[in-house]
Amino acid sequence: MRPWVIAVLSYRDLERFWKYKWWLAALVTMNLADLFIFALIFRGIVKRELIPDYFLFLAPGIASIAAFAAAFTIGREVMMELRRGFHHYLLSLPISRLELVFGRIAAGMVRGIIYQTPFLLLLLVLLEPPSPHGLLAMTLATLMIVASMSCLSIAASTLVKSLELQATIRSLLYFLAFFLSNVFYPESVIRERFPEQLYVVIVNNPISLATSIYREVFIPEMVPPTDISANLAKLAIWTLFLFLLGSHLYVRNLER
Amino acid sequence: MGVAVKIRGLVKKFGNFAAVNGLNLDIEEGEIFGLLGPNGSGKSTTLLIIATVYKPTEGDVEVHGHSVTKSPDEVRRLVGIAFQEPKALWVDNPYELLVWHAMVVGYSFLDARRAVREIMEELEIWEHRGKLFSELSGGTRKKVEIAKLFLQKPKVAIFDEPTAQLDVTTRHKVWDMIEALKEERRTIIVATNDMAEADRLSDRLGIIYKGNLKALGTPAELKDRIPAGDVMEFSIEGQAGEHLLAALSRALNTERVNLTNGTLKVYVNRAEEKVAVAIETLSKMGVKVRSVSIKEPTLDDVFFYFTGAQLREGR
Amino acid sequence: MSLKDDLRALALVAFWDVRKLRRYTFFLAMRFSWFLLQVLVFGLLVANMVSVGDLDYYKFYVVGAFMAVLFSMSMVKGHDIVEEFEDGLVDYQLSLPVKRKVLAIGRAIGGGISAFLHSLPMLIVVVLVLGVSSLSAVLALALASFVFASSLSGIAMGVALILRSSDRLDILMGVSDSLLVRISTIFYPIAAISGVAVYYYLAKVNPVSHMVDALRLIAIPEEYQGSAVSSPEVILMFLAGFAFTAILSSLFLLDRKIEGGYGR
């Protein structure tokens, strides 16, 4: 496998990412609105005994959502290429299928990392800087959340033949991951309202795992203690599973 | 016959770029008017202004006396356009699209269905009626687009490259249909880059370049306007030197006379009137003529003369 | 052209949007699932976390989530227009023998019907969840939703026709979604917003706040009477004034300014 081929493929996707500058601006506005409108207003009405400061509670979750949303856009590229027959060109290039898969996943990762960076910087400004171990955990969590979400969106974009159904599945996965996570609510409320099985699913989804790690790193005093290593391990399992699924489905759909 | 479309001082700017730059043109009622010009010359912009899709930046267009700026609603009742690129969403199907179009241009629901079926059968696209637009070939999409105008039969029908992407048989059928539309006393404007199409259909032609009209006339008139555009070719026997070429040049009043491997080429205007003089001159000089042929310029030559020449100047 | 011709053209133009309805089955399924997630997961959990006086936040949220759907479904009509620009369909429609005013009103009504029908399954969920039992209240909810959808669709389409670019529209829609939906009483009671002064005044003049509170006053009148952004009379007058201004300015813009050419 040639790393420069993967870099060239990713670069192409990254260049396209900037072309959606207005869409990006809209996404940034929405993410910031979640933080500076939703969180600020809710800080005044959320019960203090549950969350002492909802604004600080939500900020790490928004960083997770930002990485997730940007990495997830790679699936839309894949879908549009399939719709326009552009994948035939990609398949005709002198690159191996594995390089192609890695190139596309890496592209989603790069998008996620670039988009998330300002939000992480905002956390560093708003909150206490983390310890070196915390920084390492945060970096690993970021790498794994963008990799897993890039793979998931590629899988969703190649799962079925109908392009409309693909778009629907991608949107549905997006909202499932968005709402069935711990980004907006403390785990105690989730446990109280939902059956145990659903609670386990919610707190172990990749977005929740990354958010838990970020919260543990940035606002440990505001959340019940969690095992960062265990969460990183779970996130690694998700990443590996979604990588195998995404790469298999992508290559299968390209070649049929 | 009066003027169907009167264009005066028409300017259309997009930002600082003038797509149409002071165009003046009259299109007569009941004629097929061909509009020629290279890509980006302002043809489509002009047509879209006539169809009231674009608004002029300066100047005006009148269609049967109605101004596109002052009474666009009246103009739209008289004009219809088949666009260069077929207009449909990828999820549309041809039948529904055409029935809707037929109704919006005045057919009743039942008449629309009948007329759409007839036109789709005539253009051999009935079998594709229920498919998504994205599933259709380029040629079928084009047929759906021009079918709209054959349904609508407006007083002024604008076809923007009507037979691009169509096969030879269908092209001839569409040309016949356009001519039949003219027989119904419609004025037809055809923008095209296909010289065979322009030659076959047009009563008159306009050549537009950089937003301005560069030439206007019947195809025959435009061909005659190319200096020394006709070529007389003589296959000859006998001595032929510089003196022969000079004598021919004097007799026919042309500077372009070539001799290559026994073939003499003389470039003139109206060759049919000058061939007798040429043979007489050759005979006087003791040259025997074995065969003669005359070639008129094609519309390709006309197009290059009025636009290509200026492109070279531009460089 | 006679009035009869204009009305016929109006119906056909409105039908243009309505006929596309069945083609968006997957999109509707996705949006409906999203709404269910909002109501059955997000709403339930958040209602457990907050305390806003005597107000039942869950009921408040369910109507707000519906209004958010109605808003986004109407805004989608703007994207439809841009898509039509890209495919040249706006050029096609502008060339048809239909008056510009008829085209504008027809598309707004068609967009409104389409957005309302798209949102109808969600409205049924709202009625069931809130237990609205009076037929007149259900009909009033439906009528108000249709009127709001038509106004918002008309505005979205008008803006899209003027902007003529998906890039420009994306940013405007993103910002309007962020500001109009979030700085309104869609998700936050006006009492909660009062903690942040600038948001409070913006929410008070935001037409979306008045629309959603009008729906709440129909759906949960007794519980909501004291918590709305204004009194019912003021809400009604505000919305009438807003609709009148929006219709007049849209018609003026469409009649005078609109022309074809995507991105030009």
Side-chain angles (χ1 to χ4, degrees):
Chain A
M1 197 150 52
R2 297 163 296 174
W4 66 269
V5 172
I6 296 169
V8 168
L9 280 167
S10 310
Y11 179 68
R12 177 181 150 272
D13 277 317
L14 188 61
E15 270 193 326
R16 196 169 302 172
F17 191 47
W18 302 126
K19 289 190 178 152
Y20 306 136
K21 52 184 181 295
W22 297 116
W23 176 86
L24 272 173
L27 188 64
V28 172
T29 313
M30 276 202 265
N31 287 151
L32 289 177
D34 276 336
L35 196 56
F36 288 101
I37 301 175
F38 175 76
L40 266 185
I41 292 174
F42 260 61
R43 184 157 69 165
I45 56 173
V46 168
K47 295 170 190 162
R48 298 266 167 191
E49 63 271 24
L50 281 172
I51 305 163
D53 187 329
Y54 192 71
F55 180 79
L56 297 183
F57 175 82
L58 190 62
I62 296 297
S64 288
I65 291 288
F68 159 52
F72 216 68
T73 58
I74 195 68
R76 188 175 177 277
E77 296 295 339
V78 168
M79 185 189 83
M80 294 310 285
E81 286 169 3
L82 288 169
R83 172 172 281 180
R84 289 170 185 162
F86 186 80
H87 61 293
H88 292 141
Y89 165 68
L90 288 176
L91 288 174
S92 74
L93 292 172
I95 52 179
S96 73
R97 298 292 179 260
L98 201 60
E99 285 167 341
L100 187 57
V101 167
F102 268 96
R104 306 318 294 278
I105 294 171
M109 290 175 68
V110 172
R111 286 178 175 203
I113 291 167
I114 289 177
Y115 184 76
Q116 191 205 34
T117 302
F119 290 93
L120 288 178
L121 290 175
L122 187 68
L123 286 182
L124 290 169
V125 171
L126 289 173
L127 304 158
E128 290 280 311
S131 65
H133 280 101
L135 268 179
L136 180 67
M138 182 192 86
T139 309
L140 287 173
T142 292
L143 286 174
M144 287 194 280
I145 190 70
V146 292
S148 58
M149 291 304 106
S150 179
C151 294
L152 180 65
S153 76
I154 287 174
S157 293
T158 52
L159 196 60
V160 290
K161 217 172 174 184
S162 158
L163 296 170
E164 297 317 292
L165 192 54
Q166 276 177 27
T168 308
I169 291 174
R170 238 185 26 258
S171 302
L172 210 52
L173 279 173
Y174 184 91
F175 292 116
L176 277 171
F178 191 84
F179 288 119
L180 291 178
S181 74
N182 62 6
V183 168
F184 296 98
Y185 359 87
E187 292 183 4
S188 59
V189 172
I190 305 170
R191 176 165 261 167
E192 190 188 320
R193 288 299 309 201
F194 290 135
E196 184 64 17
Q197 294 89 336
L198 187 55
Y199 165 77
V200 171
V201 169
I202 292 175
V203 296
N204 284 300
N205 110 24
I207 312 287
S208 297
L209 292 170
T211 306
S212 294
I213 294 166
Y214 292 146
R215 282 186 182 138
E216 189 62 38
V217 169
F218 285 103
I219 46 165
E221 70 289 349
M222 216 178 285
V223 286
T226 51
D227 185 345
I228 290 190
S229 306
N231 282 342
L232 283 171
K234 286 180 197 169
L235 203 48
I237 293 169
W238 267 115
T239 308
L240 184 65
F241 167 70
L242 289 170
F243 168 73
L244 292 173
L245 181 72
S247 52
H248 169 70
L249 289 174
Y250 182 50
V251 173
R252 189 196 67 171
N253 207 351
L254 281 183
E255 291 183 335
R256 78 178 170 199
Chain B
M1 290 282 180
V3 176
V5 180
K6 186 195 274 186
I7 302 174
R8 289 291 177 272
L10 188 66
V11 176
K12 179 63 186 174
K13 287 184 178 171
F14 297 107
N16 291 325
F17 171 70
V20 181
N21 198 5
L23 182 67
N24 293 297
L25 175 66
D26 283 348
I27 296 170
E28 304 292 333
E29 216 177 315
E31 72 173 338
I32 299 183
F33 186 84
L35 200 56
L36 291 176
N39 296 332
S41 59
K43 293 192 303 278
S44 292
T45 305
T46 305
L47 299 182
L48 290 171
I49 292 172
I50 299 173
T52 75
V53 175
Y54 288 167
K55 292 176 191 290
T57 310
E58 286 172 32
D60 202 355
V61 177
E62 283 183 7
V63 179
H64 288 280
H66 299 288
S67 154
V68 296
T69 53
K70 297 184 189 84
S71 45
D73 289 337
E74 295 302 320
V75 173
R76 271 193 291 280
R77 289 173 61 197
L78 302 170
V79 178
I81 181 168
F83 292 87
Q84 185 178 352
E85 294 294 329
K87 304 301 185 197
L89 286 180
W90 67 273
V91 285
D92 282 325
N93 81 47
Y95 182 70
E96 286 178 359
L97 198 69
L98 289 175
V99 168
W100 188 85
H101 182 83
M103 289 178 69
V104 94
V105 298
Y107 286 79
S108 69
F109 181 63
L110 288 177
D111 284 348
R113 293 164 72 88
R114 179 190 47 73
V116 166
R117 179 169 186 149
E118 278 173 16
I119 202 77
M120 289 186 89
E121 282 176 346
E122 191 168 359
L123 288 166
E124 296 172 3
I125 50 173
W126 179 245
E127 64 189 289
H128 302 298
R129 64 189 176 281
K131 289 183 182 168
L132 295 181
F133 218 73
S134 56
E135 296 168 349
L136 303 178
S137 69
T140 307
R141 290 180 193 191
K142 191 74 188 175
K143 287 183 193 177
V144 174
E145 182 61 28
I146 55 177
K148 288 179 189 165
L149 220 41
F150 290 123
L151 283 167
Q152 188 176 349
K153 297 184 179 178
K155 278 193 90 171
V156 177
I158 300 171
F159 291 91
D160 197 352
E161 306 207 7
T163 58
Q165 294 186 295
L166 298 184
D167 61 62
V168 179
T169 321
T170 315
R171 281 173 69 193
H172 282 269
K173 176 176 267 180
V174 170
W175 290 342
D176 289 343
M177 290 170 79
I178 291 176
E179 282 170 339
L181 204 57
K182 182 195 166 190
E183 295 305 310
E184 294 181 38
R185 303 177 61 79
R186 312 287 160 175
T187 306
I188 292 155
I189 307 173
V190 179
T192 183
N193 278 317
D194 179 344
M195 298 305 142
E197 180 166 84
D199 221 354
R200 154 82 193 261
L201 287 176
S202 310
D203 297 316
R204 285 194 312 144
L205 280 171
I207 295 178
I208 191 168
Y209 182 65
K210 287 190 175 173
N212 265 313
L213 193 67
K214 295 295 174 190
L216 179 68
T218 65
E221 284 168 355
L222 292 181
K223 287 172 189 172
D224 280 344
R225 279 167 56 184
I226 300 181
D230 295 356
V231 187
M232 292 189 287
E233 271 189 24
F234 300 92
S235 176
I236 58 170
E237 279 178 17
Q239 290 293 319
E242 287 298 322
H243 62 288
L244 172 72
L245 302 184
L248 273 174
S249 184
R250 272 196 308 280
L252 300 172
N253 192 25
T254 177
E255 288 178 6
R256 295 182 66 192
V257 184
N258 303 326
L259 179 66
T260 319
N261 298 330
T263 302
L264 187 66
K265 285 188 177 178
V266 186
Y267 295 82
V268 293
N269 276 104
R270 299 187 175 279
E272 67 280 9
E273 294 169 6
K274 293 179 178 168
V275 67
V277 179
I279 291 172
E280 193 185 332
T281 309
L282 289 168
S283 175
K284 278 182 189 166
M285 302 289 286
V287 175
K288 190 176 171 187
V289 177
R290 283 196 298 186
S291 65
V292 185
S293 67
I294 296 176
K295 283 183 190 162
E296 283 195 323
T298 62
L299 273 186
D300 281 340
D301 299 320
V302 172
F303 189 78
F304 279 123
Y305 177 71
F306 286 105
T307 61
Q310 301 199 27
L311 278 174
R312 281 193 291 277
E313 277 167 25
R315 287 174 200 157
Chain C
M1 262 186 269
S2 66
L3 180 66
K4 190 182 158 201
D5 288 338
D6 284 343
L7 288 174
R8 184 176 183 275
L10 188 78
L12 281 166
V13 172
F15 181 65
W16 175 270
D17 285 291
V18 178
R19 81 194 170 94
K20 290 193 277 186
L21 198 65
R22 64 191 152 93
R23 307 234 167 89
Y24 295 108
T25 322
F26 289 132
F27 171 73
L28 292 180
M30 181 274 291
R31 199 63 186 78
F32 185 62
S33 313
W34 177 8
F35 181 73
L36 287 182
L37 276 172
Q38 280 182 291
V39 170
L40 301 178
V41 177
F42 188 84
L44 270 182
L45 291 175
V46 166
N48 250 36
M49 286 159 44
V50 302
S51 156
V52 200
D54 294 336
L55 185 70
D56 181 339
Y57 184 78
Y58 184 64
K59 287 183 176 177
F60 174 91
Y61 177 82
V62 169
V63 181
F66 171 71
M67 184 65 217
V69 168
L70 200 65
F71 182 86
S72 72
M73 290 293 188
S74 306
M75 290 297 128
V76 162
K77 296 296 138 197
H79 287 282
D80 275 3
I81 287 279
V82 170
E83 193 185 359
E84 289 185 14
F85 250 125
E86 285 169 330
D87 289 324
L89 277 161
V90 170
D91 288 8
Y92 164 60
Q93 291 208 337
L94 291 176
S95 77
L96 292 171
V98 175
K99 288 177 184 163
R100 290 285 189 268
K101 287 188 182 76
V102 172
L103 193 63
I105 298 171
R107 293 299 308 257
I109 292 175
I113 295 173
S114 164
F116 171 70
L117 292 176
H118 279 149
S119 317
L120 196 56
M122 288 73 135
L123 183 63
I124 293 169
V125 171
V126 172
V127 168
L128 293 176
V129 168
L130 299 182
V132 182
S133 52
S134 142
L135 182 63
S136 58
V138 173
L139 289 176
L141 270 178
L143 182 67
S145 304
F146 168 67
V147 172
F148 297 160
S150 293
S151 317
L152 292 169
S153 299
I155 293 169
M157 288 173 157
V159 169
L161 282 169
I162 302 299
L163 291 181
R164 287 189 283 169
S165 151
S166 56
D167 278 352
R168 284 173 241 163
L169 187 72
D170 273 348
I171 182 76
L172 193 78
M173 293 299 175
V175 171
S176 70
D177 187 78
S178 300
L179 300 181
L180 284 175
V181 172
R182 286 154 211 252
I183 306 182
S184 73
T185 53
I186 280 193
F187 294 127
Y188 327 111
I190 195 73
I193 308 176
S194 62
V196 188
V198 63
Y199 295 162
Y200 175 76
Y201 291 111
L202 288 171
K204 282 284 248 187
V205 294
N206 184 343
V208 178
S209 295
H210 292 77
M211 288 180 191
V212 68
D213 278 3
L215 293 181
R216 287 191 183 110
L217 286 169
I218 299 169
I220 43 174
E222 277 129 39
E223 290 151 278
Y224 198 61
Q225 196 92 53
S227 311
V229 66
S230 301
S231 67
E233 296 77 20
V234 172
I235 288 177
L236 200 64
M237 281 168 61
F238 184 97
L239 288 176
F242 172 74
F244 184 71
T245 317
I247 289 169
L248 274 191
S249 50
S250 299
L251 280 181
F252 173 79
L253 282 173
L254 290 170
D255 201 31
R256 300 288 172 86
K257 298 287 179 195
I258 181 63
E259 63 177 330
Y262 174 70
R264 301 197 86 159

